[in-house]
Amino acid sequence: MNRIAAAAIAVAVVAGAVAAGAAIGIGRNDNKSSPPPTPSPTTTPTTGGLVAGSGGSGKAADGKTPIRFPSTCDGAAQAAAAYSISLTDETGYAKPGVAGTKRPGLKATLDYIFNTGGQLDPTAAEHKETALIPNQTLPGLTAHPEWGGYKVVNCVTKFSSTINLFSCLTGYPDSDGGALCTSTVWELVWNGDDWHVARIPATAVAPDPAASLPDALKAPNPLPAAVRRQALAAGGAGWTEWANAPK
């Protein structure tokens, strides 16, 4: 089947860092004929008890996005992962030959995610606007933070936190295409008894786990455990695997 080129993808999980002709395979996997190397990492990342895409005690207006996370640093990490999925969810994205229709409650959900109690930061406004634009051309994209890992850079309970996410995107609806993996900085603040996104700056994560991949724009789908662990180890200390990471 055809591969769809996503030129200048402005979605939250890549935080504007990927603006290239990144081809995500739809319905095919070129990696099958050439398996990726699986060298053993020199260090082993921490395996956490946190589940990416879960952790909230409620749901946003779309009935899908978890909200109301614990005020802890673990809660902040889970909020960042859940919000990254919400901003790149396949619903509302165009499928081949079919324009996407935004899922019900999306605007209210985005209003909640970015509700810091103050003026909307330009980076947040850009991602919110992008998510609401009627999509005619880009393929559906699904975020898989569980394929990567997270790092709590700094955190003050019930105040603010900075979370680095190493995550991958795949094309929708087929699951056997390639993946696009990247690392992103998420800055959150505590407001109204929940974590909300204050900024998603285009700040380079250094060292970047994705930089260790042979080709982060055409990564295996799913990312093998040995490759994921090697990438997290290359990112230095502090990176943690999710509890629902592929084994």
Side-chain angles (χ1 to χ4, degrees):
M1 297 177 66
N2 292 331
R3 296 173 65 86
I4 299 179
I9 299 175
V11 291
V13 80
V14 281
V18 178
I24 299 178
I26 303 296
R28 61 179 288 184
N29 185 357
D30 293 339
N31 296 293
K32 290 179 180 177
S33 59
S34 180
T38 55
S40 298
T42 55
T43 59
T44 302
T46 302
T47 300
L50 303 179
V51 175
S54 183
S57 63
K59 297 290 185 182
D62 61 359
K64 185 174 185 177
T65 303
I67 58 173
R68 293 199 290 275
F69 293 89
S71 61
T72 61
C73 300
D74 283 352
Q78 286 189 294
Y83 296 158
S84 76
I85 295 172
S86 185
L87 268 66
T88 57
D89 180 73
E90 70 276 5
T91 305
Y93 285 89
K95 302 173 182 64
V98 181
T101 301
K102 299 302 180 181
R103 66 185 184 270
L106 176 59
K107 184 180 183 304
T109 297
L110 296 175
D111 287 342
Y112 183 92
I113 289 174
F114 295 109
N115 179 22
T116 62
Q119 185 175 358
L120 198 62
D121 181 83
T123 64
E126 178 183 359
H127 287 94
K128 181 177 179 181
E129 180 181 357
T130 299
L132 290 172
I133 293 174
N135 180 21
Q136 300 291 329
T137 58
L138 293 182
L141 298 173
T142 302
H144 293 279
E146 74 279 6
W147 290 7
Y150 68 95
K151 179 178 180 178
V152 179
V153 179
N154 58 63
C155 176
V156 178
T157 301
K158 287 190 175 182
F159 185 65
S160 67
S161 61
T162 299
I163 308 294
N164 288 351
L165 291 182
F166 170 47
S167 181
C168 299
L169 288 170
T170 59
Y172 176 86
D174 302 289
S175 61
D176 61 349
L180 184 158
C181 300
T182 189
S183 303
T184 310
V185 179
W186 292 73
E187 296 180 6
L188 296 88
V189 296
W190 184 260
N191 178 52
D193 295 328
D194 202 358
W195 290 107
H196 300 268
V197 177
R199 296 181 68 232
I200 313 175
T203 303
V205 175
D208 183 356
S212 70
L213 301 177
D215 188 346
L217 300 182
K218 298 179 183 178
N221 171 6
L223 202 62
V227 176
R228 176 184 70 246
R229 289 166 183 162
Q230 182 195 19
L232 293 175
W239 285 94
T240 302
E241 288 186 310
W242 297 98
N244 55 332
K247 307 302 182 186

